Amino acid sequence: MAGYVEDRWFKKGPPDPDDPKKRPTRIQTDLYKKCKQYRVCGIPGVRKRSFERKGDAEAWKVKVQSDLMRGEFVDHRDGNVTLQEYITQEYWPTKTGAPGTLQTIETRINSRIVPFLGAQRLNAIKVPQLRKYLADMDERYGPSSIIESWGTLSSILQAAVDDERIPRNPCLAKTVRPPSKPERKARAWGRERVMAVREELDDRFKVMVDLGVGACLRQGEVLGLSID
C-alpha cells in the first residue's frame, strides 16, 4: 500500500567520495530542528502527520494502512472540536423527533451534559473523563436522571463515530457504566382508595373491583371470567 516516511531535517546529497559503498551524504534542510523530523506522506485520502521519532512514524503508517484495508480508519484530528461545538454545529441541527421529545433532550443536554463535558474535545473524551462525569453527576442527581443523561451522551458520541469524528464510542466501554435503576416496588391501594374508585364506577363494573381485590384476579382474568 502507498505511503512513506519523509525525513524533514535531512535530504540526500551527492555520494561520499570516502565511502567505499558510495552512499549518499545527508544535507540539512531549511526545516532542521524547526519542526518534527519525520512525516508520514503519500497515503491516499489521509492527511500527512509528523512525529519526533522515526519508529513512531513507521508504526502509525502501518496502523493507518491496516485500518484502511479494513475500512476502519478515522483521523483523530477530525475529533479536534469540543463536544459543545459538535452538538451545536452538527448533531443538533440534524436531530429529528416530536417537538416535546426534542425539548426534553435539549434541556437534558444543556443542563446535564454540556456543563460537565462541553469544553472537552471529542477525541479527548475517554473512559477516565466519563468516570469523572458519572462521579460529578452522582453528587447532584438521582439514578434515573443519570441514566437518561448517559443514554443521550452515548447517542451523541455514537453519532460522532458515524460521522467519522472519533473511532469508537467510549460510553460502550465495559469498565464504565451508569448506576442501575432502582427497583420500584408495587404498593397495594388502601381500603379507602379502593372503595372510592369502586364508588365512581358504573354499577356493572363494580364487580370487577370486587373480583380484583377480593379474589386477587388480574385484569385479563376478570374480563375473561364467565357468569357460570
Side-chain angles (χ1 to χ4, degrees):
M1 179 175 285
Y4 60 92
V5 176
E6 172 191 34
D7 189 335
R8 307 182 73 191
W9 288 6
F10 296 94
K11 62 182 179 179
K12 291 182 180 180
D16 184 352
D18 298 328
D19 185 357
K21 295 185 178 181
K22 303 300 179 183
R23 287 171 290 195
T25 56
R26 300 177 72 207
I27 301 176
Q28 289 183 8
T29 69
D30 294 337
L31 296 175
Y32 181 70
K33 291 190 176 181
K34 295 179 181 179
C35 61
K36 294 180 180 180
Q37 184 173 0
Y38 300 100
R39 183 169 66 177
V40 179
C41 310
I43 303 178
V46 178
R47 286 178 288 173
K48 299 175 183 179
R49 184 168 178 178
S50 299
F51 297 85
E52 299 284 358
R53 301 190 309 166
K54 186 175 182 179
D56 293 338
E58 291 285 0
W60 188 79
K61 176 175 72 73
V62 171
K63 181 181 184 305
V64 169
Q65 290 172 336
S66 177
D67 289 346
L68 285 170
M69 291 284 289
R70 297 193 302 269
E72 298 176 355
F73 174 71
V74 174
D75 193 330
H76 286 214
R77 287 168 292 185
D78 290 333
N80 197 31
V81 296
T82 66
L83 177 63
Q84 184 171 11
E85 289 172 338
Y86 174 72
I87 292 172
T88 302
Q89 299 170 12
E90 299 184 45
Y91 178 78
W92 195 251
T94 60
K95 185 70 175 174
T96 59
T101 302
L102 289 177
Q103 184 176 2
T104 299
I105 296 174
E106 185 176 23
T107 300
R108 187 182 303 150
I109 289 173
N110 292 334
S111 62
R112 303 183 202 162
I113 295 178
V114 169
F116 299 92
L117 292 171
Q120 293 274 1
R121 298 201 173 273
L122 279 177
N123 54 17
I125 299 177
K126 308 290 185 182
V127 169
Q129 286 73 28
L130 293 182
R131 287 201 187 101
K132 185 178 186 307
Y133 170 68
L134 289 176
D136 291 341
M137 289 285 287
D138 187 58
E139 294 179 357
R140 297 166 174 82
Y141 300 99
S144 296
S145 295
I146 297 175
I147 292 170
E148 292 169 353
S149 302
W150 182 264
T152 300
L153 175 61
S154 182
S155 296
I156 294 170
L157 294 178
Q158 187 58 50
V161 173
D162 296 339
D163 290 342
E164 298 186 351
R165 285 283 190 172
I166 53 176
R168 59 186 60 84
N169 181 356
C171 286
L172 300 181
K174 296 180 179 179
T175 58
V176 58
R177 285 285 184 272
S180 300
K181 196 168 185 177
E183 183 180 355
R184 296 182 62 182
K185 295 183 179 180
R187 298 184 63 181
W189 287 358
R191 181 179 181 85
E192 290 184 2
R193 187 174 185 182
V194 171
M195 298 310 296
V197 170
R198 186 180 188 282
E199 185 64 28
E200 294 299 321
L201 291 176
D202 189 275
D203 288 343
R204 60 176 178 158
F205 294 132
K206 290 181 178 180
V207 68
M208 297 177 65
V209 176
D210 299 334
L211 291 170
V213 175
C216 296
L217 297 184
R218 292 171 292 187
Q219 178 178 307
E221 294 170 333
V222 170
L223 295 175
L225 188 65
S226 64
I227 295 177
D228 294 340

